[in-house]
Amino acid sequence: MLQGLEGKVALVTGAGQGLGRSHALELARQGVRVVVNDLGRSLGGDVESSAADAVVEEIRALGGEAVADYGDVADWDSARAMVRRGIDEWGRFDILVNNAGFLRDRMLFNLSEDEFDSVVRVHLKGHFATMRHAAEHWRTESKAADGPVYARIISTASEAMLFGSPGQPGYASAKAAVVQLTLVAANSLARLGVRANAIAPRARTRMTVDQPSIASSEIVDGFDPYGPEHVSPLVAYLASPAADHVSGQLFIVVGRTISVVHGPFVEQKFEIADGWTPDSVDAVLTPFYADRRVIQDGFTLADTPRS
């Protein structure tokens, strides 16, 4: 087991199934108390979410502690309440795992305004709302302690934002923004003790099960290369004291592989003595790109599967 996680309190959003469920279970195995969030349904005035409740029961069966939360991550008051849930239940809040999301796959020319708005709302605003309320809590704690506190944010991005996935303009854009929001959190909250990182997982979930690369994959010797359980150990590590010097980072994680993604960097610099003209820009950039396969079959410079 990782040292230092026992007794910590985490909120995992979208934890009723798939990656979120896997994260919640792994954190519980490490001794973390978990608020299991999954969007609920209203039945006769009561709110019920069998998916979240089932994961809570799984955690309790392991000997862990968990409670269910049924709120909408992109609703301001619900996001505040789910952050407060762990504090009310166990008196503390240490780890935020933002995982909730969904897809509306369309090409750019047929994605509707409502579809774009709904994807951005859940992925981007959903990350922001929980981060905002968590950050406020940790800032208050830090002031009271007159020093840094223990705080971790793990955001969920996607390779779609790295490779401009053609059928996911809303999703890829929102995930790119999530990475930048995470970097902002890492930079602005570091003095409070917050460590913020993002993962781009490739896994077999309800959202991705029909993607060709995942649907055609095979389980060999009992190992599913797209099993969500291969992603969650990284989440547990990033939530732990061992990752105290890791912040503002993006990781691709799939199967047996964890890749550290380098941020945007300057590949080539062109300078000119007398100022740029359209002709001089042409003279340097056209030869630079002449031998490059920028676009082929609608994809940009990569054959990496999108998730």
Side-chain angles (χ1 to χ4, degrees), residues 249-266:
Q249 302 297 300
L250 172 62
F251 302 88
I252 297 173
V253 53
V254 53
R256 296 183 172 94
T257 303
I258 295 174
S259 303
V260 179
V261 180
H262 193 289
F265 60 93
V266 176

Side-chain angles (χ1 to χ4, degrees), residues 87-295:
I87 301 167
D88 295 341
E89 191 78 22
W90 297 295
R92 62 185 301 160
F93 176 66
D94 308 284
I95 301 158
L96 170 60
V97 182
N98 275 321
N99 169 78
F102 71 103
L103 291 174
R104 289 291 183 268
D105 286 358
R106 302 282 190 274
M107 295 298 287
L108 188 58
F109 44 74
N110 59 20
L111 181 70
S112 73
E113 180 181 12
D114 286 345
E115 288 168 334
F116 180 87
D117 287 347
S118 64
V119 169
V120 171
R121 177 185 180 276
V122 172
H123 289 279
L124 180 54
K125 187 181 177 184
H127 271 67
F128 168 69
T130 53
M131 278 192 201
R132 161 59 170 78
H133 296 305
E136 182 181 19
H137 168 70
W138 289 324
R139 182 171 181 262
T140 299
E141 276 203 326
S142 179
K143 283 185 173 182
D146 194 24
V149 297
Y150 189 94
R152 299 288 188 267
I153 298 172
I154 298 99
S155 308
T156 304
S158 169
E159 289 170 277
M161 54 78 63
L162 290 172
F163 305 115
S165 184
Q168 299 177 321
Y171 180 73
S173 301
K175 289 304 190 184
V178 162
V179 171
Q180 290 306 310
L181 182 61
T182 305
L183 184 58
V184 168
N187 289 337
S188 62
L189 305 178
R191 63 184 178 82
L192 305 181
V194 179
R195 304 295 180 260
N197 295 283
I199 62 169
R202 205 185 313 161
R204 189 189 311 279
T205 69
R206 183 181 61 176
M207 279 175 39
T208 64
V209 68
D210 294 327
Q211 291 184 358
S213 61
I214 293 178
S216 63
S217 67
E218 296 182 358
I219 298 175
V220 180
D221 296 330
F223 185 86
D224 180 359
Y226 294 112
E229 65 273 14
H230 307 311
V231 176
S232 300
L234 174 60
V235 172
Y237 167 76
L238 293 174
S240 77
D244 192 55
H245 298 293
V246 182
S247 196
Q249 302 297 300
L250 172 62
F251 302 88
I252 297 173
V253 53
V254 53
R256 296 183 172 94
T257 303
I258 295 174
S259 303
V260 179
V261 180
H262 193 289
F265 60 93
V266 176
E267 179 183 356
Q268 181 71 43
K269 183 184 292 185
F270 299 100
E271 295 183 357
I272 195 168
D274 300 326
W276 292 105
T277 67
D279 287 341
S280 61
V281 173
D282 173 34
V284 296
L285 289 187
T286 298
F288 180 70
Y289 285 106
D291 297 327
R292 295 189 169 203
R293 188 189 66 196
V294 178
I295 298 292

Side-chain angles (χ1 to χ4, degrees), residues 32 41 64 150 167:
V32 177
R41 299 177 295 128
Y150 189 94

Side-chain angles (χ1 to χ4, degrees), residues 5 7-13 15 23-28 31-37 59 65-69 82-87 89-90 92-98 138 150 152 154 235-236 239:
L5 276 176
K8 297 288 192 294
V9 173
L11 164 64
V12 183
T13 69
H23 300 339
L25 289 170
E26 184 58 55
L27 288 171
V32 177
R33 299 160 174 166
V34 186
V35 177
V36 179
N37 163 262
I59 290 173
E65 296 182 65
V67 293
D69 177 89
M82 67 182 70
V83 168
R84 291 293 315 176
R85 186 68 192 277
I87 301 167
E89 191 78 22
W90 297 295
R92 62 185 301 160
F93 176 66
D94 308 284
I95 301 158
L96 170 60
V97 182
N98 275 321
W138 289 324
Y150 189 94
R152 299 288 188 267
I154 298 99
V235 172

